[in-house]
Each structure stands twice: as structure tokens, then as C-alpha cells.
Amino acid sequence: MAEPAANARPEPRLDGLAAEFYAYCATGTLRFQRCEACGAWRHLPREMCPSCASSKWTWEASSGRGRIFSWTVTHRAPHPAFAADVPYAVVVVELEEGVRMVSGLRGLAPEALELDLAVEVGFESVSAEFSLPYFKPSVEGEPAS
Amino acid sequence: MGFLGGRYAIAGVGETDWSRQSGRTPLTLGLQAARQALTDAGMEARELDGFLSYSEGDSADGLHLASGLGAQPSYTAEIVGGGSSAEFLVATAAAAIEAGLCTSVLCYRAMNGRSGRRFGTQQDGGFSFDQIDPFAGFFSAQGMTTPAQHYGLIARRHMHEYGTTAEQLGAVALAFREHACGNPHAMMHDRPLTMADYLASPLIADPFRLLDCCLESDGAAACIVTSLARARDCRRRPVRILGAVTRAGGPHVYHYGLPSITEAAGQHVAPRLFGMAGLEPGDVDVAALYDCFSFVVLLQLEDYGFCKKGEGGPFAAGGRLGIGGDLPCNTAGGQLSEAYTHGMNNLIELVRQLRGTYTGSKRQVSEAEVGLCTGWGGPEVASGLLLGAGA
Ligand SMILES: [Zn+2]
């Protein structure tokens, strides 16, 4: 395997449950684990339900809609791959299903961010195996893409 | 009563100079700090038979350190981690002595945190969460690779829920800088700071400015843990270990999935720690609160019960963290203004305060009998020590 370039964007290790999560992202769908025993949704992917400790789950489709729960705006790039992007926001989104996901923001200047702003998921294809989920302001009345 | 019946103590402390470019290896730095701690305690190197350190692949291991001192170890370990490790080592050292594994333990952190591996950047092979966290890829792919960004998300939410302000974060930075100005050894000794300076410092990871972030330092710090009986024969007044909680957390580590992201693992440490020692927050005379970022101090003030949830900002802004305040904190300047060693330098200063090292100078906290040292290894994991002036 070739060494990635020093300034390549970091990609997640596509193994274990992360591989399953990102395989759905590569098809343009956001799915989270949902506990078969108690019905609780969860993210990040884990072997066990944090609510009831069951190890049975299914991957269920999220609506892809949620609200901004918190954010940080990076002004000094910590990694050369992001040097051209500053200032950029990383957001915590609370999805309609109740899970919270740390993600990127598109389609809105960081200074226009507000708590509880309605957002919806989108995907950027980074490589054949890897699509990066991000969030953008919701368009009222239209289904999430 | 108390941790292991109160039978253990810190008998010696030592550190190197702090710099941005030590020009020495972590092993050399560790040896210098160890020799300082031995001199401080009035102990011979051959008395040390336990060596505990922590690292993120950037330190010197105990076996080589022992060898460099001519000591013969019977118990060595190096744990992976940064914040929350110093307290873990001190507690584990006492437990190992109690178990008969060794008799006197050197706990240390040696690092070239500025000229070697850096923690605030991935440039030049710096620290990456990928090295310790299997979830890291979920964040790094989004351009989120540093602690500042993670804790920035928590700080922004805290500001939203409780009205915490930039000036309140700045109050922490100013308090610790004032302490550094009274400590000739501190990296920021000759750099007084005003609120205007703080507010003018550049944003790094909003809401954090440069001056909300700890320093990057080369250096080493060490302390010697031994029995109270042995410590009583050492050069300095012993500092007793009254309570210890090591790397405690909640049941699940994905912080952003918790009902509240503005609560941190210190809330799990505090009741056990104070309960073990039979003490309350109001009994603490001097504190060493982990300060990788100013905001982390505010959160711990809440977690450890010095104020109500959400009131860390007003507490800090009320001048309470200064020497002479209600809770003198990080009196050598902390990691924000003295040096960054993942907490060991803060612990050493706490020991010196409890010994009355600075008696007769403005730096001494008056009637310092009980000290709290906290470690923050992220919002998910925390450690704590309660120390007492010995007799
Ligand atoms: Zn469940």
C-alpha cells in the first residue's frame, strides 16, 4: 500500500463498524445503529447499546435532518490538508432520531451559525470507498437528499 | 481513613528548566528531574526501586531511567496517556508499595513537547488522536484533529446554556499568568497579561483564543512516592496522599452522545475522592486544576463542587483563583503560563505549597493544609488526588 501524501486529507480507518457506517454513506444514505431490544438509536457505532447493554442492533435510515447543537470554528489549521479551508466550522448536529453527530458544515458561512439551526445531511465523495457526510442548512419543505 | 489508611506520601519533587528547545533527549531531561527530586528528598538513587511514567510515545521508559541513575528497579511501567496520568501514577505507586512490589517510586513525565512531538498540530509528525482513540477517524476526516477543537465544541455549548463569556475564560488565563509572573522558573515569567491582550489574541479554535491554550514545553518533572514513615525521615516535610481516584469516567466514552456535553468526568471523581478522604470542597486550601485550556478549569470548578453547574465562569471572574483568593489555583502559573507537562508540574507546585516552601513570600498560600490536584484526560476521563500537609 502506498503511503498517503503528507498533506492528504485524513480518512477514517474503514474497518469494523466504521466500515459499515461509511459503506452506507458511500451510497448516499445516513444510517445509525438502532437497538433491537430497547429501540434506542446510537452513534458513534458500538458493539453494545449504551441504554440497555443489548448487543443486538440493526442499521436504520436516519431522516438526515437535525439541528445545530454546538460548533467550533477552526482558524488555524491543525493539519496541512485543511490549510486552504480556514476558517471552517465543525458542528455537533442533533438528529431527529436523537443521536448527535460531529460533522462538517457546507453552504453556510461559519459566522452565520446559530444554535438550533435546522440542517440536513449531504455527502462528498472523497474516494471510491469513502464519502464524507456533512450538514447544510435545511431547505424548508424539501426532503433531505 | 483515607487512601490506603493515609500511609503514603510524596517525599521529593523536582523538575528541569522549561524551554521551547531543550536540545536534550527525554531521557536526559527525565534524569535531571529525577536527580532534583532525589536531592529534594535527601534520598539516594539506589533507594528507588519503582519507576512509573506516562507518555504518548514521546518519553523515556522507566527501565532506561533507572539504569541512568544506577538504580535497580523491581517495578516499572509506562502508561499511555496525557492528562489524568500524573494522579494515576502517584496513586498506583502507593498501591504498588502497599502490595509489596516496591518501596519507593519515582513518578515522572519527560517530553520535548515543543521541539519534539507537538500536541496542537499534526504538522511534522505531531500528536494524532488516531494513535490512542479508535473513534478518531470520525473526527479527523472532518478537519478535527486537536484537543482545542474538541473542547471548543463543549465550550460553545456551555456558553449557550450558561452564558459563559470570553472574559470569564480570560480571567483564568490572567490569574495563572499573574502566578507565572511570581515564578522565575515559568516560561511566561516576564510576560504580564491584560484582559485587552487576552481578547486581542488570535482565535485558534473558536471560542478558544491562543491565550486559552496551554503552552508547549520541553522539560521533565518528577516526584517520589514512598511510605509516610520513610518520608518523615526525608529532608522535607512529607505531603500525605489523603485521597486518590484514577482515571474514572462514565459508562460510555462517546462524549457528544451524553445527555449533557457540558458535564465532564470530574463529576464521577469528586464524590469518591472527597468521600474517601472525609473532606469537602470547602476544605481545599490550594488547588492544581488541570489546565490544558482555560475553559477546562471552569468546568472542573463545577465538577468538583466549588460552585454550581454553570457558575464556573462567574467564579473564576470573581478573582477567587489568585493567591489570597478563595481557591488559589495553579500558583506557579499552570500549564497555561508555567509549562506543559500533562499535569506533573502542577502537582509539584501543589506539594511545595503544602510544605510551606514559599513561606515569607507572596507566593505562599497561607495555611495551606489540604490540596486538590485534578487530571483531565478529555471530558470522558479524569483523575484526582487530595494531598495533605504532613506531620
Ligand atoms: Zn438498548
Side-chain angles (χ1 to χ4, degrees):
Chain A
M1 198 172 103
E3 280 291 308
N7 61 354
R9 289 177 81 95
E11 291 189 21
R13 281 204 303 264
L14 296 177
D15 56 6
L17 294 171
E20 297 181 32
F21 175 84
Y22 284 110
Y24 290 118
C25 291
T27 67
T29 49
L30 184 64
R31 285 181 182 255
F32 298 112
Q33 288 171 295
R34 190 171 186 193
C35 177
E36 283 192 42
C38 77
W41 295 72
R42 67 181 186 260
H43 181 72
L44 299 167
R46 272 160 290 176
E47 306 287 345
M48 193 183 86
C49 174
S51 299
C52 78
S54 168
S55 57
K56 294 190 184 325
W57 74 82
T58 53
W59 287 100
E60 292 209 22
S62 162
S63 72
R65 293 177 174 277
R67 293 186 179 275
I68 296 288
F69 187 80
S70 195
W71 73 83
T72 178
V73 180
T74 299
H75 290 262
R76 192 161 80 183
H79 186 290
F82 302 101
D85 298 341
V86 293
Y88 63 90
V90 174
V91 295
V92 182
V93 175
E94 188 166 277
L95 277 298
E96 287 178 340
E97 295 79 19
V99 299
R100 295 201 206 109
M101 180 174 167
V102 175
S103 193
L105 179 75
R106 304 287 184 273
L108 187 72
E111 57 270 25
L113 269 166
E114 290 173 39
L115 266 297
D116 297 325
L117 183 80
V119 291
E120 62 187 40
V121 75
F123 298 92
E124 289 172 351
S125 176
V126 177
S127 64
E129 305 82 37
F130 176 54
S131 285
L132 185 70
Y134 63 84
F135 284 83
K136 60 194 174 184
S138 278
V139 181
E140 283 302 320
E142 288 186 19
S145 59
Chain B
M1 192 63 183
F3 177 65
L4 297 177
R7 289 190 294 275
Y8 296 92
I10 297 173
V13 296
E15 76 272 75
T16 63
D17 56 306
W18 307 117
S19 71
R20 296 164 57 85
Q21 178 84 48
S22 72
R24 286 158 279 168
T25 65
L27 177 59
T28 299
L29 294 167
L31 286 168
Q32 286 180 332
R35 290 191 185 105
Q36 292 285 340
L38 284 164
T39 301
D40 184 58
M43 291 174 79
E44 298 292 329
R46 63 174 182 276
E47 263 196 83
L48 294 176
D49 55 2
F51 294 83
L52 296 178
S53 73
Y54 53 106
S55 116
E56 315 232 12
D58 55 354
S59 186
D61 69 276
L63 213 51
H64 285 90
L65 200 100
S67 173
L69 291 172
Q72 187 174 355
S74 63
Y75 182 75
T76 64
E78 183 177 82
I79 62 167
V80 174
S84 78
S85 303
E87 301 77 22
F88 182 101
L89 294 195
V90 167
T92 302
I97 300 168
E98 176 81 7
L101 296 169
C102 49
T103 57
S104 292
V105 182
L106 184 83
C107 303
Y108 65 95
R109 175 71 165 120
M111 61 199 281
N112 282 319
R114 179 61 181 80
S115 71
R117 173 181 281 182
R118 301 173 65 181
F119 284 81
T121 175
Q122 278 66 57
Q123 320 239 13
D124 308 321
F127 168 79
S128 161
F129 279 109
D130 286 304
Q131 293 149 1
I132 57 169
D133 179 357
F135 289 150
F138 282 90
F139 307 103
S140 57
Q142 303 286 359
M144 183 173 174
T145 59
T146 62
Q149 295 167 302
H150 274 272
Y151 310 156
L153 289 176
I154 302 170
R156 171 61 59 196
R157 185 72 197 178
H158 197 274
M159 290 173 152
H160 175 66
E161 290 180 5
Y162 300 114
T164 304
T165 65
E167 286 81 0
Q168 290 167 349
L169 300 187
V172 176
L174 263 60
F176 296 176
R177 183 62 63 89
E178 192 177 329
H179 296 164
C181 289
N183 170 15
H185 199 57
M187 289 178 79
M188 292 299 180
H189 170 62
D190 51 357
R191 304 273 294 275
L193 186 66
T194 67
M195 186 60 80
D197 297 333
Y198 165 81
L199 292 171
S201 78
L203 284 164
I204 302 295
D206 178 71
F208 296 154
R209 294 169 164 78
L210 179 67
L211 294 176
D212 291 305
C213 306
C214 63
L215 303 170
E216 295 176 296
S217 319
D218 291 5
C223 69
I224 296 170
V225 175
T226 190
S227 67
L228 181 61
R230 175 67 186 93
R232 281 180 172 142
D233 293 333
C234 287
R235 273 181 68 204
R236 310 284 186 196
R237 191 182 181 199
V239 169
R240 297 168 61 194
I241 306 167
L242 305 176
V245 177
T246 57
R247 286 195 176 169
H252 294 283
V253 297
Y254 177 54
H255 187 73
Y256 305 106
L258 296 177
S260 167
I261 69 167
T262 56
E263 292 177 356
Q267 65 177 322
H268 304 297
V269 171
R272 289 182 54 201
L273 185 66
F274 286 111
M276 179 186 296
L279 295 168
E280 295 177 0
D283 295 322
V284 174
D285 301 310
V286 55
L289 300 184
Y290 198 83
D291 58 336
C292 49
F293 297 92
S294 59
F295 170 70
V296 164
V297 174
L298 300 188
L299 218 47
Q300 292 174 101
L301 289 167
E302 300 168 6
D303 286 338
Y304 286 86
F306 295 103
C307 59
K308 288 187 191 145
K309 189 72 217 161
E311 294 182 358
F315 185 99
R320 294 183 180 86
L321 303 182
I323 295 168
D326 294 347
L327 186 69
C329 184
N330 297 10
T331 52
Q335 302 188 100
L336 291 174
S337 282
E338 186 195 26
Y340 180 62
T341 66
H342 286 132
M344 190 61 94
N345 57 315
N346 287 355
L347 174 61
I348 285 175
E349 170 67 4
L350 189 65
V351 167
R352 289 180 174 143
Q353 287 286 358
L354 293 170
R355 288 170 169 176
T357 301
Y358 310 113
T359 300
S361 92
K362 283 191 298 185
R363 187 166 165 189
Q364 180 64 46
V365 172
S366 62
E367 296 175 48
E369 294 290 325
V370 174
L372 169 70
C373 181
T374 69
W376 158 288
E380 309 92 343
V381 61
S383 294
L385 292 175
L386 276 167
L387 303 179

